[in-house]
Amino acid sequence: AGAETVKRAVELDLASRFQESLVCYQEGIDLLLQVVKATKDDAKKHRYRQKISELLFLSDGKYHKQIRIEENATGFGYEKLFQEYLTEIVSEVWVEDPYVRHVHQLYNFLRFCEMLVKGPCKVKTIHLLTSYDEGSGRSQQISGLEEIQQSLRNYGVTLNIAFSPSIHDREIRFNNGWMIKIGRGLDYFKKPQGRFSIGYCDFDLRPCHETTVDVFHTKHTKKM
């Protein structure tokens, strides 16, 4: 059963069906771990442990997906990038982005939160780490984030906000192990031509700045 599961994982991996592949890898490793526990032969245990190590290396090495968003490309709304990884077990999200400061960036974060509220995940806690606006917009930044915080509370979601003057990295993590790094953070959309232009409301129709999206998975495996 373990061998068949691993074979299926490799097939899914080659087909770029990463999330399904990961599930199969984990199931295969768990089955082999059960065999190790039940086996009294030390030589067999050693062989099984070697195989498990190979699978861990294989799955770790394979789990890097990169998406290149070209200048002026459309069709890259938040749902397009994140929906695949927002499974029902996602209940906690971490957002590290130094540029959730200006009005349009606050709206970006709000739209991201709206996506989380809609599901199918069951998010209960969102952690935001960003940096303070260095100019006169700090009070507007704080009041905007507090308003988002209050609004999320009405949906049973807690927003924890923290500020760091030294934050540079931009990444989003889900508690099911997926981590997404976007070169420009959440702010990769171009300014719309006007308030009544196509793409103003629907981010799938909004032209993008050129950026790179890297998707990784942090594995949580049992000790052999």
Side-chain angles (χ1 to χ4, degrees), residues 200-218:
Y200 185 86
C201 297
D202 190 339
F203 274 22
D204 280 336
L205 299 172
R206 179 85 67 88
C208 299
H209 292 287
E210 181 179 347
T211 194
T212 301
V213 181
D214 290 286
V215 182
F216 304 91
H217 192 278
T218 304

Side-chain angles (χ1 to χ4, degrees), residues 128-145:
L128 172 66
L129 178 63
T130 188
S131 60
Y132 280 117
D133 189 302
E134 297 172 352
S136 59
R138 180 177 295 195
S139 61
Q140 181 176 251
Q141 176 194 21
I142 294 173
S143 63
L145 287 173

Side-chain angles (χ1 to χ4, degrees), residues 38-179:
T39 300
K40 296 181 179 180
D41 187 312
D42 289 339
K44 286 185 177 180
K45 278 190 175 185
H46 179 70
R47 287 199 299 273
Y48 283 129
R49 283 173 175 155
Q50 280 187 318
K51 188 61 180 177
I52 291 169
S53 296
E54 290 172 9
L55 290 174
L56 289 171
F57 177 80
L58 177 64
S59 58
D60 279 338
K62 290 283 187 179
Y63 270 87
H64 175 207
K65 176 181 178 182
Q66 187 173 85
I67 302 167
R68 184 75 176 179
I69 300 178
E70 302 293 340
E71 185 77 5
N72 291 316
T74 57
F76 289 96
Y78 294 147
E79 284 82 0
K80 170 74 173 179
L81 291 186
F82 299 110
Q83 202 70 53
E84 178 182 355
Y85 312 104
L86 291 173
T87 58
E88 291 186 2
I89 66 171
V90 174
S91 60
E92 196 165 6
V93 178
W94 291 262
V95 178
E96 294 186 13
D97 191 329
Y99 297 105
V100 184
R101 304 178 182 178
H102 305 310
V103 171
H104 75 280
Q105 294 166 345
L106 291 167
Y107 275 122
N108 288 341
F109 180 65
L110 176 60
R111 286 176 184 270
F112 177 79
C113 291
E114 287 175 337
M115 176 190 66
L116 297 177
V117 168
K118 286 192 297 184
C121 56
K122 311 295 182 186
V123 172
K124 295 298 180 185
T125 308
I126 301 171
H127 305 273
L128 172 66
L129 178 63
T130 188
S131 60
Y132 280 117
D133 189 302
E134 297 172 352
S136 59
R138 180 177 295 195
S139 61
Q140 181 176 251
Q141 176 194 21
I142 294 173
S143 63
L145 287 173
E146 288 177 347
E147 190 171 341
I148 295 173
Q149 185 179 52
Q150 178 57 50
S151 183
L152 283 169
R153 195 174 293 131
N154 295 333
Y155 286 87
V157 180
T158 299
L159 172 60
N160 296 320
I161 305 167
F163 297 92
S164 169
S166 58
I167 178 177
H168 294 290
D169 292 341
R170 300 165 175 86
E171 66 180 43
I172 294 170
R173 304 189 307 276
F174 305 131
N175 68 320
N176 60 353
W178 290 103
M179 177 173 67

